[in-house]
Amino acid sequence: MNPLHVQLPGLELKNPVMPASGCFGFGREFSQLYDLNQLGAIMIKATTPEPRFGNPTPRVAETPSGMLNAIGLQNPGLKKVISDELPWLSQFDVPIIANIAGSEMEDYVTVAEAISQVDNVKALELNISCPNVKTGGIAFGTVPEIAKELTKKVKEVSEVPVYVKLSPNVTNIVEIAKAVEEGGADGITMINTLLGMKIDIHTGRALLANGTGGLSGPAVKPIAVRMIYEVSQHVHIPIIGMGGISSLDDILEFFYAGASAVAIGTANFVDPFICPKLIAQLQDYVDANGIDHISELTGRSWKVRGNRTYIGS
Amino acid sequence: MNPLHVQLPGLELKNPVMPASGCFGFGREFSQLYDLNQLGAIMIKATTPEPRFGNPTPRVAETPSGMLNAIGLQNPGLKKVISDELPWLSQFDVPIIANIAGSEMEDYVTVAEAISQVDNVKALELNISCPNVKTGGIAFGTVPEIAKELTKKVKEVSEVPVYVKLSPNVTNIVEIAKAVEEGGADGITMINTLLGMKIDIHTGRALLANGTGGLSGPAVKPIAVRMIYEVSQHVHIPIIGMGGISSLDDILEFFYAGASAVAIGTANFVDPFICPKLIAQLQDYVDANGIDHISELTGRSWKVRGNRTYIGS
Amino acid sequence: MIKQELMTIVSQQQIAKNIYELTMEGELVQEMDEPGRFVHLRINGGTAPLLRRPISVAAVHQHLGQFTIIYRAGGEGTRLLSEKKAGERIDVLGPLGHGFPLEAIESGQTAVLVGGGIGVPPLYDLSRRLKEQNVHVIHVLGFQNQESAFYMEKFCDLGETYMATEDGSLGIKGFVTDAIKQFSVKGDVLYACGPIPMLKALEKENPADRGFVSLEQRMGCGIGACFACVCHPSNDPKGTEYRKVCSDGPVFPIGEVVL
Amino acid sequence: MIKQELMTIVSQQQIAKNIYELTMEGELVQEMDEPGRFVHLRINGGTAPLLRRPISVAAVHQHLGQFTIIYRAGGEGTRLLSEKKAGERIDVLGPLGHGFPLEAIESGQTAVLVGGGIGVPPLYDLSRRLKEQNVHVIHVLGFQNQESAFYMEKFCDLGETYMATEDGSLGIKGFVTDAIKQFSVKGDVLYACGPIPMLKALEKENPADRGFVSLEQRMGCGIGACFACVCHPSNDPKGTEYRKVCSDGPVFPIGEVVL
Ligand SMILES: Cc1cc2nc3c(=O)[nH]c(=O)nc-3n(C[C@H](O)[C@H](O)[C@H](O)COP(=O)(O)OP(=O)(O)OC[C@H]3O[C@@H](n4cnc5c(N)ncnc54)[C@H](O)[C@@H]3O)c2cc1C
Ligand SMILES: Cc1cc2nc3c(=O)[nH]c(=O)nc-3n(C[C@H](O)[C@H](O)[C@H](O)COP(=O)(O)OP(=O)(O)OC[C@H]3O[C@@H](n4cnc5c(N)ncnc54)[C@H](O)[C@@H]3O)c2cc1C
Ligand SMILES: Cc1cc2nc3c(=O)[nH]c(=O)nc-3n(C[C@H](O)[C@H](O)[C@H](O)COP(=O)(O)O)c2cc1C
Ligand SMILES: Cc1cc2nc3c(=O)[nH]c(=O)nc-3n(C[C@H](O)[C@H](O)[C@H](O)COP(=O)(O)O)c2cc1C
Ligand code: FES
Ligand code: FES
């Protein structure tokens, strides 16, 4: 078996590298740049029951080694995603992870039920953590009981495994992670963006029309690594890690912290070829270092040396 | 009056710029570089009842546009701070803000009672948010009731106004801010560092001996700005803002967000002359722009234009 | 096709106050067909500044395999860009978006090209291409003042050129719309690029029957994947329909999108 | 006195595998008294890489107002530093810390200078100064291999020089302590700089009665204010006493601090 071949609930990944939700649309644009078949998976843009325009512009701002976004979950809505986007994506031999969002629990259930029946959708990713929607959204990801209940409800209707995407804007992320695990989550994806803000010096007002936005990119990497390190030691389900990854070293760091696969968000904007580049570098790395399987690296930072059993396995 | 002269509870500041606690020791080293009389105030290194060595080294690591530290509250202890450091600092006409820390509530009370009696200590800064101490520390800053109680207890014994330093590692910082306000805090300082981690790619282990550390520097600025923006609209006490400031624009941004003064931490390591430099630039700025008083800038991002009354004033 | 290439700087020089002209060389130039498209530049290889900067193509020199951009050094990224020297390399992604349609006008007709500030550069490439098509070109260019004006001679060489500056230090005192009125500028097709207030004024004071405007918007990806740069189409101004400035634009027919 | 200065690069060249020699000019050189002190370099003006990099002074040329550092380009900061060219400027803070005490040895006596890898550079400055004082110098230098060795001739010019490499490609195969044993190196004072394991071995295998070691530690401020770089003194190995490598060190008498 190729050392990069990773099996996660619902997912057979050629390699453990995939674009993160919202940074890759539904793949159409990047398909003009390279063959999407190279990707481990694709996390598509959040889908809500109804089409959404999202927030007014400006929607992005640059910060030191990071960026803020307040897209506001713009998407064509469940119907169109099922009728247009997913069929188009089915030409690629790549599992799709459908990121789903909403304002009410019912929204998640509606989207989950329908979208999980689509053939190439191999897993769901519950976006309970988007800081850019005013109702619902944020609370789902910060209150353990609600996160657990939402997970349960979605699990009941979903045809495919359910991953829950955690918000870093919490006091105790382990608590939330355990709650969604109890709720039946098959995996965790983390981290979503940190709530931030930039003020335009010339106007004295928020630069983003929405006021605040979600911080992503290299700046947040140390926070993502810390949270994955903590969570991976306390849950038994796998983690797809993300938050500032832009190099091979970053990927290794996320594995060492406790991730079983990784997703790349903001870096796609900086270098649109980053995913295939890092996949190739990772392949070279495991080959050159005689690594039997990439999963050996997962959690190395906290595993007792010489003792490979750990709570998360 | 000089437009930079700022009055805050207990503090007559020549200007609203001061070094942040832990990034300036007790001022001795920087006094070799420039005249400390230029500073608005000095926030001294956290003082605990007993001397502490702190964590093993390495204690710092670099991250994209930021740094991690896990100093672990190293300090010579209350006795020596009172007998050696504060008397030495009394040669300068600069108010001292004493940052105090401990493992138990009693520690804070002990330090507060003694240190607040020293002449040049004009205010206390309760460090209820240091992520690098294993016991106590972190919880104080994340549970509103505990933060409130601690504030109350310290207020009972302190001879000078009490500022509480908030942790950004919380779900709802406004809640904590309100709690310490209710507890009698005279002001708020924010933000302390974000809990982060870096893994050494060569060893697969945490780079800091302590494992995790506190993230500071430009990387965290958007988070600090967002939190100050939120808190300043919900409390009636002033905020001394910090987190990634390294330029005049950054200072303005923090004022616009809602700060009444600012502190500079990590940037002192990058440019040891940063404090006097930015003070001079700020003076030029208010002079050149005919700003009557710097306090006009506070909260500009959320104040209704043409209506200068706002909840925080 | 969109390509990413480490292109070599051939020359860089300051041509007006804070305004730089930068010429780069590489294979990517072969893809530069339509005027008004843009490139997305990564200023350095580190993490700060993180995002690419969108800059219009100002002139294509196909025979040399070179192209030129003109930009204002304002913020951190463009300031760093302005410090680069000949021989250094820059990571260029492009060409991106849809430019000014050349086929919208016929030879012998008159095109009115209206630009403001750093909206002027793409009009130069456009004007050259229109001239090649034997289109009659009239330029109306607005700047803050004489110091920040550039390429005046080059535009004059291509056709009639009217100028307006806010302080009257060059051309008439006022805005491009004032110049259009004052000199009764008229044509068959309008091509415009500049700040939104200018474009809005032109929607009203259109010196032609039809026209095209180029928009600016803060961008993430620059290729249509992140939804950072959307705007509302005029036929659904409050709904969920949208256009992406980066990939559907930056040039739109006048009236297609809400300014 | 500690100064901050934008110093001008006079020259930079690669002198071994990943090893660069960089010479800078400025007034700060006048403050460079004792060998073994270091400078704290800000590689660029942006926010990444954020922190300064501590690098030892390898040679002072007082009459030229210049000084030289020798460093390994490993991580992001030193890699960027290695790309700088003559004429560019670097923000230098220094000189920092306490160096090797010249007064610890008298003319006519023998100093043993032991260095490993990038611990070698400060010994060059030290050796030159000791020579000026008519001290007899013996060098024992260790490198990974021949490719990464540098300044061999310069050290040979100053005095007896023994070399050890891990693969035996230069000098003997082994460590500096092996060379010390094999060549029965002895002297009055030891001055050493290199990795901790080497310094520990030297504490045991000390070829002199007294000695000084230079330590490395991850630093924040570099001036003694942040407590990033502390170590335990030997007389209070588990207590609250401390020494700061940046301001009390980097050079300590052997036995003063816990390695
Ligand atoms: C399609 C298009 C074509 C353009 N063509 C030109 C041109 O030919 N010449 C020229 O000088 N400028 C042009 N601009 C504007 C140019 O992109 C900005 O001036 C530049 O990005 C500012 O970067 P900075 O580093 O100076 O500012 P910073 O403030 O450091 O930029 C921070 C972030 O904000 C973005 N940003 C800031 N201002 C603008 C803006 N006005 N438009 C879009 N993004 C912005 C930056 O791209 C970056 O992501 C164009 C913009 C677009 C969208
Ligand atoms: C007093 C002193 C003198 C030194 N003299 C020299 C010298 O003459 N020549 C030389 O090549 N090296 C010297 N070093 C080591 C040098 O500081 C590091 O190699 C360098 O900081 C690494 O930076 P980087 O950008 O390559 O690595 P990065 O990994 O990008 O560095 C990240 C951070 O870790 C710090 N760091 C990484 N490695 C070290 C290290 N070994 N010691 C201290 N900090 C480190 C960096 O300063 C930076 O803050 C000295 C260190 C000290 C403390
Ligand atoms: C422009 C943008 C849009 C995003 N949209 C979504 C989204 O729709 N759903 C979601 O779960 N996360 C979304 N995210 C978060 C990313 O998937 C990712 O969790 C986060 O950006 C951290 O990774 P990064 O630092 O690699 O970007 C978005 C991020 C960005 C930058
Ligand atoms: C090395 C270091 C030590 C610190 N020590 C303390 C401390 O003792 N007490 C405290 O309240 N904050 C401490 N802080 C936090 C700073 O005071 C400040 O809140 C934080 O670093 C954010 O500001 P900055 O980004 O400007 O550094 C420390 C920060 C650093 C980098
Ligand atoms: S910038 Fe990403 S869609 Fe236009
Ligand atoms: S590096 Fe700050 S005290 Fe030594």
Side-chain angles (χ1 to χ4, degrees):
Chain A
M1 193 170 73
N2 187 308
L4 292 190
H5 183 107
V6 169
Q7 280 178 305
L8 296 180
L11 302 167
E12 288 281 341
L13 309 173
K14 281 172 222 155
N15 62 70
V17 181
M18 63 196 82
S21 176
C23 303
F24 208 75
F26 296 92
R28 288 185 195 265
E29 296 77 17
F30 284 89
S31 77
Q32 297 164 26
L33 301 182
Y34 59 83
D35 180 3
L36 302 189
N37 283 307
Q38 297 172 74
L39 299 170
I42 295 174
M43 292 167 146
I44 58 174
K45 177 83 192 142
T47 301
T48 57
E50 72 299 344
R52 289 199 190 181
F53 182 81
N55 292 319
T57 57
R59 292 177 170 188
V60 294
E62 193 180 56
T63 69
S65 294
M67 69 174 281
L68 292 166
N69 90 79
I71 305 296
L73 295 184
Q74 176 159 25
N75 79 95
L78 178 61
K79 256 200 212 142
K80 273 216 177 143
V81 170
I82 291 185
S83 66
D84 294 7
E85 305 300 344
L86 289 169
W88 181 83
L89 278 164
S90 71
Q91 68 183 289
F92 303 103
D93 176 28
V94 177
I96 304 302
I97 301 175
N99 186 278
I100 72 183
S103 313
E104 313 289 330
M105 286 214 190
E106 261 326 297
D107 295 343
Y108 286 85
V109 173
T110 308
V111 179
E113 186 159 16
I115 214 165
S116 69
Q117 293 175 28
V118 179
D119 249 12
N120 53 339
V121 171
K122 303 299 184 192
L124 303 185
E125 181 184 36
L126 300 195
N127 178 0
I128 60 168
S129 49
C130 179
N132 295 326
V133 269
K134 288 277 159 63
T135 50
I138 191 79
F140 292 151
T142 56
V143 184
E145 294 70 37
I146 301 182
K148 179 172 163 182
E149 197 191 329
L150 180 67
T151 310
K152 242 189 200 152
K153 287 206 169 145
V154 169
K155 273 298 284 182
E156 275 166 22
V157 301
S158 177
E159 301 279 327
V160 294
V162 173
Y163 291 69
V164 181
K165 184 160 184 178
L166 302 188
S167 166
N169 302 295
V170 296
T171 308
N172 186 339
I173 194 149
V174 171
E175 202 177 67
I176 312 272
K178 282 182 168 167
V180 303
E181 184 179 33
E182 278 171 29
D186 300 283
I188 285 171
T189 65
M190 61 192 290
I191 58 174
N192 210 317
T193 55
L194 280 126
L195 203 54
M197 182 174 180
K198 180 167 179 170
I199 294 173
D200 186 334
I201 291 306
H202 307 294
T203 65
R205 301 266 149 176
L207 201 148
L208 297 179
N210 186 53
T212 59
L215 183 66
S216 63
V220 309
K221 198 179 55 173
I223 298 168
V225 170
R226 185 265 295 182
M227 289 184 164
I228 292 168
Y229 172 81
E230 288 176 353
V231 169
S232 63
Q233 294 178 68
H234 289 94
V235 298
H236 301 257
I237 49 179
I239 296 172
I240 303 178
M242 66 199 79
I245 295 178
S246 68
S247 70
L248 173 63
D249 280 0
D250 292 342
I251 292 181
L252 297 178
E253 195 174 353
F254 275 66
F255 270 89
Y256 295 153
S260 296
V262 295
I264 293 171
T266 303
N268 288 292
F269 307 159
V270 179
D271 178 355
F273 296 90
I274 189 89
C275 287
K277 271 185 203 164
L278 295 185
I279 289 166
Q281 287 177 23
L282 189 61
Q283 184 76 57
D284 289 349
Y285 177 83
V286 292
D287 292 348
N289 290 277
I291 291 166
D292 289 334
H293 195 264
I294 182 85
S295 60
E296 285 173 29
L297 308 186
T298 299
R300 181 174 282 188
S301 63
W302 49 264
K303 276 184 194 166
V304 180
R305 281 200 203 279
N307 171 2
R308 283 286 157 86
T309 51
Y310 65 104
I311 174 179
S313 71
Chain B
M1 193 170 72
N2 186 308
L4 292 191
H5 183 106
V6 169
Q7 280 178 304
L8 297 179
L11 302 167
E12 288 280 341
L13 309 174
K14 282 172 221 155
N15 63 69
V17 181
M18 61 196 83
S21 176
C23 303
F24 208 74
F26 295 93
R28 287 184 196 267
E29 295 77 17
F30 285 89
S31 76
Q32 297 163 28
L33 302 181
Y34 60 82
D35 179 3
L36 302 190
N37 283 308
Q38 296 172 75
L39 300 171
I42 295 174
M43 292 167 146
I44 58 175
K45 177 84 193 142
T47 300
T48 56
E50 72 298 342
R52 291 201 189 179
F53 182 81
N55 293 318
T57 58
R59 292 177 171 189
V60 292
E62 193 178 55
T63 68
S65 295
M67 68 175 281
L68 291 166
N69 89 80
I71 305 297
L73 295 183
Q74 176 159 26
N75 79 94
L78 179 60
K79 255 200 211 142
K80 274 215 176 144
V81 170
I82 292 184
S83 66
D84 294 7
E85 305 299 345
L86 290 168
W88 181 85
L89 277 163
S90 70
Q91 68 183 290
F92 303 103
D93 176 28
V94 176
I96 304 301
I97 301 175
N99 186 280
I100 71 184
S103 314
E104 312 290 330
M105 286 214 189
E106 261 326 297
D107 295 343
Y108 286 86
V109 173
T110 309
V111 179
E113 185 158 19
I115 215 166
S116 69
Q117 292 174 28
V118 180
D119 250 13
N120 52 338
V121 172
K122 303 299 184 193
L124 303 185
E125 182 183 38
L126 301 195
N127 178 1
I128 59 167
S129 49
C130 180
N132 296 327
V133 271
K134 289 278 159 63
T135 49
I138 192 79
F140 291 152
T142 55
V143 184
E145 296 70 38
I146 302 181
K148 179 173 164 181
E149 197 192 330
L150 180 66
T151 310
K152 241 188 200 156
K153 287 206 169 144
V154 170
K155 272 299 283 181
E156 275 166 22
V157 301
S158 176
E159 301 279 326
V160 295
V162 174
Y163 291 70
V164 181
K165 184 160 185 179
L166 303 188
S167 166
N169 301 296
V170 296
T171 309
N172 186 341
I173 194 150
V174 170
E175 201 178 68
I176 313 271
K178 283 181 167 168
V180 303
E181 184 179 34
E182 277 171 30
D186 300 284
I188 285 172
T189 65
M190 60 191 289
I191 56 171
N192 210 317
T193 54
L194 280 126
L195 202 56
M197 181 173 181
K198 181 168 178 169
I199 294 173
D200 186 332
I201 290 307
H202 306 293
T203 64
R205 300 266 149 177
L207 201 148
L208 297 178
N210 186 52
T212 59
L215 183 67
S216 63
V220 310
K221 199 180 55 171
I223 298 168
V225 169
R226 185 265 295 182
M227 289 184 163
I228 292 167
Y229 172 82
E230 288 176 352
V231 169
S232 63
Q233 293 179 67
H234 289 95
V235 299
H236 301 257
I237 50 179
I239 296 173
I240 303 178
M242 65 198 79
I245 295 177
S246 68
S247 70
L248 173 63
D249 280 359
D250 292 342
I251 292 181
L252 297 178
E253 196 174 354
F254 275 67
F255 271 89
Y256 294 154
S260 296
V262 294
I264 294 171
T266 303
N268 288 291
F269 307 159
V270 180
D271 178 355
F273 295 91
I274 189 89
C275 287
K277 271 185 202 165
L278 294 185
I279 291 165
Q281 287 177 23
L282 188 61
Q283 184 77 58
D284 289 350
Y285 177 82
V286 293
D287 292 349
N289 291 276
I291 291 165
D292 288 335
H293 196 265
I294 183 86
S295 60
E296 286 171 28
L297 309 186
T298 299
R300 180 174 282 187
S301 63
W302 50 263
K303 277 183 195 167
V304 180
R305 283 203 201 279
N307 171 0
R308 282 288 154 84
T309 51
Y310 64 104
I311 175 182
S313 71
Chain C
M1 226 186 77
I2 299 173
K3 288 200 173 156
Q4 186 188 20
E5 184 180 350
L6 269 182
M7 298 183 78
T8 305
I9 297 179
V10 176
S11 67
Q12 159 132 269
Q13 65 181 104
Q14 194 175 342
I15 56 172
K17 191 171 172 206
N18 297 326
I19 305 287
Y20 292 78
E21 179 199 58
L22 174 65
T23 298
M24 287 171 268
E25 187 170 298
E27 291 178 11
L28 199 148
V29 174
Q30 290 164 26
E31 311 293 328
M32 294 182 170
D33 39 16
E34 207 174 41
R37 301 181 73 185
F38 68 98
V39 288
H40 217 18
L41 303 179
R42 186 171 182 190
I43 310 294
N44 67 17
T47 61
L50 183 68
L51 297 174
R52 289 175 179 267
R53 301 295 192 260
I55 305 283
S56 301
V57 173
V60 182
H61 321 285
Q62 280 296 359
H63 55 297
L64 297 171
Q66 300 178 350
F67 81 104
T68 299
I69 59 172
I70 296 169
Y71 65 95
R72 175 158 56 213
E76 193 193 355
T78 51
R79 193 183 47 71
L80 286 170
L81 183 62
S82 72
E83 291 168 7
K84 305 249 175 206
K85 303 209 164 46
E88 289 188 66
R89 303 215 285 177
I90 300 185
D91 178 344
V92 182
L93 181 72
L96 303 179
H98 289 92
F100 293 107
L102 292 169
E103 67 285 359
I105 192 163
E106 286 168 30
S107 83
Q109 287 191 306
T110 300
V112 181
L113 278 55
V114 183
I118 50 163
V120 168
L123 299 182
Y124 179 65
D125 200 30
L126 173 64
S127 183
R128 299 208 308 174
R129 299 290 293 275
L130 290 172
K131 269 297 275 229
E132 282 170 22
Q133 284 189 202
N134 293 315
V135 169
H136 179 65
V137 287
I138 304 178
H139 313 112
V140 187
L141 310 175
F143 293 99
Q144 238 185 320
N145 50 42
Q146 183 167 18
E147 275 187 310
S148 52
F150 53 88
Y151 265 40
M152 291 301 96
E153 284 191 18
K154 299 202 183 209
F155 277 104
C156 288
D157 287 348
L158 289 166
E160 262 170 80
T161 303
Y162 301 100
M163 282 167 253
T165 51
E166 283 172 40
D167 64 356
S169 55
L170 187 77
I172 70 158
K173 180 171 155 72
F175 299 105
V176 286
T177 39
D178 298 320
I180 288 171
K181 269 186 258 178
Q182 186 166 335
F183 301 107
S184 309
V185 174
K186 278 238 162 300
D188 299 294
V189 181
L190 167 75
Y191 296 98
C193 185
I196 292 289
M198 181 193 104
L199 300 181
K200 276 193 175 160
L202 283 171
E203 272 195 345
K204 287 192 198 138
E205 192 71 46
N206 191 342
D209 310 325
R210 311 189 298 128
F212 299 88
V213 291
S214 181
L215 303 190
E216 265 187 22
Q217 190 54 266
R218 303 232 165 201
M219 293 184 177
C221 65
I223 61 171
C226 77
F227 294 90
C229 65
V230 297
C231 57
H232 289 282
S234 305
N235 61 9
D236 184 27
K238 308 223 168 237
T240 60
E241 290 297 309
Y242 60 87
R243 296 290 183 280
K244 294 174 191 160
V245 171
C246 71
S247 52
D248 297 320
V251 175
F252 294 98
I254 283 186
E256 179 169 327
V257 298
V258 181
L259 295 183
Chain D
M1 225 187 79
I2 299 173
K3 287 198 173 157
Q4 185 189 19
E5 185 180 351
L6 269 182
M7 299 184 78
T8 305
I9 297 180
V10 176
S11 67
Q12 159 132 271
Q13 66 181 105
Q14 194 174 344
I15 57 173
K17 191 173 172 203
N18 297 326
I19 304 286
Y20 292 78
E21 180 199 57
L22 173 65
T23 298
M24 287 171 269
E25 186 169 299
E27 290 178 11
L28 199 148
V29 173
Q30 289 164 26
E31 311 293 327
M32 293 181 169
D33 39 15
E34 207 174 38
R37 300 182 73 187
F38 68 99
V39 288
H40 217 21
L41 303 179
R42 186 172 181 189
I43 310 293
N44 66 18
T47 61
L50 184 68
L51 297 175
R52 287 175 180 268
R53 301 295 192 261
I55 305 283
S56 302
V57 174
V60 182
H61 320 284
Q62 279 297 357
H63 54 298
L64 298 171
Q66 300 179 348
F67 82 103
T68 299
I69 59 172
I70 296 169
Y71 65 94
R72 174 157 58 211
E76 193 193 353
T78 51
R79 191 181 48 71
L80 285 170
L81 184 61
S82 72
E83 291 168 6
K84 305 247 176 207
K85 304 209 164 47
E88 288 187 65
R89 305 216 282 176
I90 299 187
D91 177 344
V92 182
L93 181 72
L96 302 178
H98 289 92
F100 293 108
L102 292 168
E103 67 284 0
I105 193 162
E106 284 169 30
S107 84
Q109 286 191 304
T110 299
V112 181
L113 279 55
V114 183
I118 51 162
V120 169
L123 299 182
Y124 179 65
D125 200 30
L126 173 64
S127 183
R128 299 207 310 172
R129 299 290 294 275
L130 289 172
K131 269 294 276 222
E132 282 170 21
Q133 282 187 203
N134 292 316
V135 170
H136 180 65
V137 288
I138 305 179
H139 313 112
V140 186
L141 309 176
F143 293 99
Q144 238 185 318
N145 50 41
Q146 183 167 16
E147 276 188 309
S148 53
F150 54 87
Y151 266 40
M152 292 301 96
E153 285 192 16
K154 298 203 183 211
F155 277 103
C156 288
D157 287 350
L158 289 166
E160 263 170 79
T161 303
Y162 302 99
M163 282 167 254
T165 50
E166 284 173 40
D167 64 355
S169 54
L170 186 78
I172 69 156
K173 181 172 155 74
F175 299 104
V176 286
T177 39
D178 298 319
I180 288 170
K181 268 186 259 180
Q182 185 164 334
F183 302 108
S184 310
V185 174
K186 278 239 160 300
D188 299 295
V189 182
L190 167 74
Y191 296 98
C193 185
I196 291 291
M198 180 192 105
L199 300 180
K200 276 193 176 158
L202 282 170
E203 271 195 346
K204 287 192 200 139
E205 192 70 45
N206 192 342
D209 310 327
R210 311 188 298 127
F212 300 88
V213 292
S214 182
L215 303 189
E216 266 187 22
Q217 190 54 265
R218 303 230 166 201
M219 293 185 176
C221 66
I223 62 171
C226 76
F227 294 90
C229 65
V230 297
C231 56
H232 289 281
S234 305
N235 62 9
D236 185 25
K238 308 223 168 240
T240 61
E241 289 298 308
Y242 60 87
R243 296 289 184 280
K244 294 174 191 158
V245 170
C246 70
S247 52
D248 298 320
V251 175
F252 295 98
I254 283 185
E256 179 170 325
V257 298
V258 181
L259 294 183

